Amino acid sequence: MKFTPVFDRLVPDPALHLLWSLEDRGISIRVDDGLLVLKPVSQIPEADRGLIRRHKFHLLHLVSECLKEEAP
């Protein structure tokens, strides 16, 4: 598996591609009290749900850091 340095850690490329794919499909992704929140859940296929569970740690990191970058 390939890894890409993002912010302060190495992130598996499949996690990056999953995040980009979810965003491209219009899925809203945020972190709320340390939990990954994705909406609408009905638009997320079961195959992606398994990938989300597998890469949850990295998705939390990516989304949290992106939100920090956007904050004024």
Side-chain angles (χ1 to χ4, degrees):
M1 179 179 318
K2 292 182 128 187
F3 291 81
T4 300
V6 182
F7 301 109
D8 62 345
R9 60 176 68 125
L10 291 174
V11 176
D13 286 359
L16 284 171
H17 293 283
L18 175 60
L19 181 61
W20 294 332
S21 173
L22 292 167
E23 289 178 333
D24 285 347
R25 288 182 273 154
I27 304 296
S28 168
I29 306 166
R30 63 186 172 86
V31 175
D32 188 13
D33 289 329
L35 298 174
L36 194 62
V37 179
L38 296 95
K39 291 184 180 181
V41 175
S42 62
Q43 297 290 331
I44 304 171
E46 190 58 41
D48 284 348
R49 292 175 194 208
L51 291 172
I52 291 165
R53 285 188 292 274
R54 181 178 307 143
H55 297 294
K56 180 180 172 182
F57 173 79
H58 297 290
L59 293 172
L60 281 165
H61 169 70
L62 291 168
V63 174
S64 295
E65 291 298 319
C66 286
L67 293 174
K68 283 182 192 175
E69 294 287 317
E70 291 177 2

